[in-house]
Amino acid sequence: MKKIILSIIFAGFLFFIFLGTTNAKSVADLRRELQQIKDEQAVQNANAAQAQAEMDRVNAEIEKITKQIAEAQEDEKNTKKEIEDLGVEIENKNVEIKDLIVFYQEANSENFYLKYIFGAESFTDFIYRASIVQQLMARNDELIVEMNDLIKQNEEKLVELKETQKKLDNLNKEATKELASLGDKRSQYIEEAQSYDMQISNLEKRIEDYLNLGCGETQDLSTCTTAVPSDYGFIYPLKSGAVTDEFGWRLHPTMGYWKFHSGIDLGGNPEGTNVYAIAAGRVSYIIWRSSCGGNQVYINHIVNGVYYTSVYMHLYSVKVSVGDIVSQGEVIATVGGGTTYYDACSTGAHLHLSMASG
């Protein structure tokens, strides 16, 4: 009785949350669906290429800004050195002026006159030398004024250089932020394109599977799938467990951006817990992807005359092979997802379950 109730509840639950269904009625419909997905993948690849071109542009801009910052820093260093050198030169000129003042004062003292007169060959020479001292003092005063003006100009230049560096730093931060955003977009486009790889591979396998079952290009799929056993409902794929992540858009737990979640996650069970077929069916595809999904099993079903495919991901071990006919409730695999080396996009042990009809 419990199994029947679970079947009814689970069937309703699947119909309610699982999108990812198709309207394919024939192999030809599946081929059109396949081409549509390939076209969508091409768009994502083009978006990724455009994002890369934008990243190249921003990288070139960052390189240019970095060079300008280095030039401004070098200019600032040289300007500070020039201010320092001018300060030393002004100090030296002040010493020279003090020496000249002492000499001039001595030259104008009575003792100096007497000493100079008694020992001089020419008084004219004395007058000439005193005049030169005055001129040197005046010129040194002018030089000090000029150097102080240069220091003032250089100090103003330092302020401008600081402001320039500040603006360049802000531009560099904005460009770096833009680059990171573009990098995230590019990663998302690439991830989306890679997710199409899986869909394309799955559809190609489904088409191959239908053809192997004898289906014609335009034949109704429901009339050529007699190799798939029929059933009348679904059961829970685990003996216990709760929905830990639902179907739809979500912030991916390991990739860090919004991504469409194509099924539900069922947690609460450790690695190695048995996973059961939700209905009788035929195993159509098995794959392992270390980047995301781990071991995966695809099973075709006919339930109440409708063709379905159930998908079980993040499996630790697989107990069936392609082509196996399984019964409802038969062990097909064990729960995985807790070991990242074989399943990089899982944060803990759980079962991912998806379903498509058609």
Side-chain angles (χ1 to χ4, degrees):
M1 182 66 176
K2 182 180 178 182
K3 182 176 178 180
I4 295 172
I5 294 172
L6 278 174
S7 299
I8 295 170
I9 294 173
F10 190 61
F13 182 64
L14 289 172
F15 280 116
F16 178 72
I17 76 160
F18 287 117
L19 212 53
T21 59
T22 71
N23 294 317
K25 299 299 180 182
S26 66
V27 170
D29 291 332
L30 286 177
R31 291 193 192 279
R32 282 190 287 271
E33 222 176 271
L34 177 62
Q35 186 57 52
Q36 182 181 354
I37 293 173
K38 287 182 176 180
D39 291 341
E40 291 172 358
Q41 183 186 49
V43 170
Q44 295 300 329
N45 284 329
N47 287 338
Q50 178 63 33
Q52 182 60 60
E54 287 295 304
M55 288 175 67
D56 293 342
R57 176 189 62 77
V58 175
N59 269 321
E61 186 177 336
I62 290 174
E63 186 176 348
K64 180 181 177 182
I65 292 171
T66 303
K67 184 179 179 181
Q68 289 174 332
I69 290 174
E71 290 173 351
Q73 289 173 341
E74 183 65 22
D75 201 356
E76 180 185 16
K77 177 182 175 183
N78 293 335
T79 301
K80 286 180 178 178
K81 182 68 168 57
E82 189 174 343
I83 290 174
E84 184 181 339
D85 292 344
L86 284 168
V88 172
E89 194 171 345
I90 288 173
E91 185 62 31
N92 291 336
K93 287 296 179 185
N94 281 325
V95 172
E96 288 179 17
I97 289 172
K98 288 178 183 178
D99 290 341
L100 288 170
I101 288 173
V102 170
F103 174 77
Y104 184 71
Q105 287 174 340
E106 289 179 351
N108 281 281
S109 69
E110 185 177 348
N111 290 336
F112 183 85
Y113 280 125
L114 292 172
K115 191 183 295 183
Y116 192 83
I117 290 170
F118 290 142
E121 296 179 0
S122 168
F123 187 72
T124 303
D125 180 52
F126 167 74
I127 297 298
Y128 172 74
R129 289 166 62 187
S131 175
I132 291 298
V133 169
Q134 288 179 316
Q135 291 177 27
L136 286 172
M137 289 172 58
R139 179 55 185 155
N140 277 347
D141 285 341
E142 291 174 1
L143 286 173
I144 288 174
V145 170
E146 291 175 5
M147 285 186 284
N148 278 321
D149 286 342
L150 282 173
I151 287 176
K152 184 178 179 181
Q153 292 174 19
N154 282 334
E155 286 174 343
E156 291 173 352
K157 183 179 179 182
L158 280 178
V159 173
E160 292 175 1
L161 285 169
K162 286 288 186 185
E163 189 63 29
T164 298
Q165 286 188 56
K166 185 178 178 182
K167 290 178 180 178
L168 288 171
D169 285 337
N170 288 335
L171 286 173
N172 193 44
K173 287 177 183 177
E174 289 174 7
T176 302
K177 185 178 179 181
E178 183 182 0
L179 185 65
S181 176
L182 287 168
D184 288 342
K185 286 182 180 179
R186 178 178 174 274
S187 297
Q188 185 173 351
Y189 292 141
I190 291 174
E191 178 64 27
E192 290 296 331
Q194 289 175 345
S195 71
Y196 286 125
D197 284 339
M198 185 182 297
Q199 293 181 51
I200 289 169
S201 177
N202 293 344
L203 264 177
E204 287 174 342
K205 288 295 294 181
R206 285 183 67 189
I207 291 171
E208 181 183 355
D209 198 41
Y210 280 124
L211 293 176
N212 289 337
L213 290 172
C215 296
E217 282 290 319
T218 58
Q219 185 178 0
D220 191 317
L221 297 177
S222 63
T223 66
C224 63
T225 54
T226 54
V228 179
S230 295
D231 215 328
Y232 300 96
F234 300 98
I235 64 169
Y236 208 67
L238 301 167
K239 283 189 176 179
S240 63
V243 177
T244 56
D245 210 343
E246 297 183 353
F247 172 86
W249 286 99
R250 64 169 182 173
L251 184 63
H252 198 281
T254 62
M255 297 175 185
Y257 55 81
W258 287 91
K259 191 175 183 342
F260 194 80
H261 191 218
S262 62
I264 58 171
D265 289 341
L266 303 172
N269 291 282
E271 280 192 336
T273 301
N274 285 337
V275 176
Y276 305 96
I278 62 174
R282 178 179 179 274
V283 179
S284 61
Y285 190 41
I286 297 173
I287 191 172
W288 170 64
R289 293 185 186 276
S290 60
S291 60
C292 194
N295 291 309
Q296 303 170 36
V297 173
Y298 292 68
I299 301 178
N300 296 335
H301 313 276
I302 296 177
V303 177
N304 294 321
V306 180
Y307 193 94
Y308 295 94
T309 299
S310 59
V311 184
Y312 312 77
M313 296 185 182
H314 304 294
L315 304 174
Y316 185 74
S317 62
V318 176
K319 306 294 186 180
V320 291
S321 302
V322 173
D324 284 357
I325 302 299
V326 297
S327 302
Q328 186 181 68
E330 182 177 335
V331 176
I332 59 170
T334 58
V335 171
T339 310
T340 56
Y341 78 88
Y342 72 86
D343 191 353
C345 73
S346 178
T347 58
H350 71 286
L351 171 67
H352 172 102
L353 177 65
S354 296
M355 177 172 280
S357 68

